[in-house]
Amino acid sequence: MGSDYPPNIETVNYIIHHLADKCPDIEFIIAGGCCNSFSTIKKTNVKFQGRIHHLQKLKLLTNVDIAINPMFSGAGVNLKSLEFLSAGIPLFSTHCGARGLNLIDKEHYIHAEKEDFAAKINQFCHERKYLNEMSSRGQKYINANFSWSLIARSIYEEIDGILPV
């Protein structure tokens, strides 16, 4: 999932031209504006959803077995990783895709980089029990540390601390 943003385009290009070939048994579903540049690409294990509405995204998150976030550039916290983990989906991500979240490899997600991403997917994707346990820990961690109510409370406390009494 991603907008039509250069780091997302780079990621989709990597999925199409690297991961899809090395993970032929995996169906990659790509959603969002990042699909726009790839309308002519035809790969049997890559499906483009294009822009989707919120309810379509929730359905997609409910129906996938794993989530990947092979981001190699960009800035700030990657909201896709937050969404995937909060939904309880086992996440495979680069350091860049997990930046700012203080995730622990194999505790909350599977860390992989460009050179070993396909190997990690192929190694772990069939270990359902392990992935379910890991994604449960990731979900608990994200929901305990990055929920909107926690963020709002923190902002309130910051503002309250600087306003005169």
Side-chain angles (χ1 to χ4, degrees), residues 61-143:
L61 292 174
T62 301
N63 291 319
V64 298
D65 295 318
I66 65 169
I68 64 169
N69 196 11
M71 297 293 292
F72 306 110
S73 61
V77 171
N78 201 287
L79 295 178
K80 288 183 284 292
S81 291
L82 283 167
E83 286 188 290
F84 295 147
L85 289 166
S86 182
I89 303 168
L91 174 65
F92 292 73
S93 181
T94 59
H95 276 302
C96 185
R99 66 191 175 268
L101 300 176
N102 299 317
L103 299 176
I104 300 170
D105 180 29
K106 297 185 185 67
E107 176 73 19
H108 304 122
Y109 81 118
I110 303 290
H111 170 252
E113 291 298 333
K114 188 177 278 191
E115 57 280 347
D116 67 351
F117 215 101
K120 293 274 180 93
I121 291 173
N122 288 325
Q123 176 185 355
F124 288 102
C125 74
H126 300 294
E127 294 187 32
R128 297 303 320 153
K129 184 176 188 251
Y130 173 74
L131 290 177
N132 287 337
E133 291 168 356
M134 181 191 69
S135 64
S136 179
R137 289 188 302 270
Q139 182 180 42
K140 287 175 186 163
Y141 171 77
I142 289 298
N143 292 341

Side-chain angles (χ1 to χ4, degrees), residues 17 23 32 36 42-43 47-48 51 58 60 67 69 77 93 100-101 103 106 112 117 142 146 153 158:
H17 299 293
C23 303
N36 297 344
K42 304 290 183 226
K43 289 248 179 173
K47 308 292 183 237
F48 296 101
R51 291 188 184 277
L58 294 177
L60 184 62
N69 196 11
V77 171
S93 181
L101 300 176
L103 299 176
K106 297 185 185 67
F117 215 101
I142 289 298
F146 295 95
R153 187 175 333 118
E158 286 292 321

Side-chain angles (χ1 to χ4, degrees), residues 4-52:
D4 192 5
Y5 170 61
N8 292 335
I9 303 302
E10 177 186 22
T11 294
V12 174
N13 195 50
Y14 174 75
I15 292 168
I16 294 168
H17 299 293
H18 183 76
L19 292 183
D21 294 334
K22 292 189 175 192
C23 303
D25 297 330
I26 303 292
E27 181 179 61
F28 295 90
I29 302 170
I30 303 169
C34 60
C35 295
N36 297 344
S37 302
F38 302 96
S39 61
T40 61
I41 301 292
K42 304 290 183 226
K43 289 248 179 173
T44 57
N45 63 336
V46 179
K47 308 292 183 237
F48 296 101
Q49 300 289 308
R51 291 188 184 277
I52 58 174

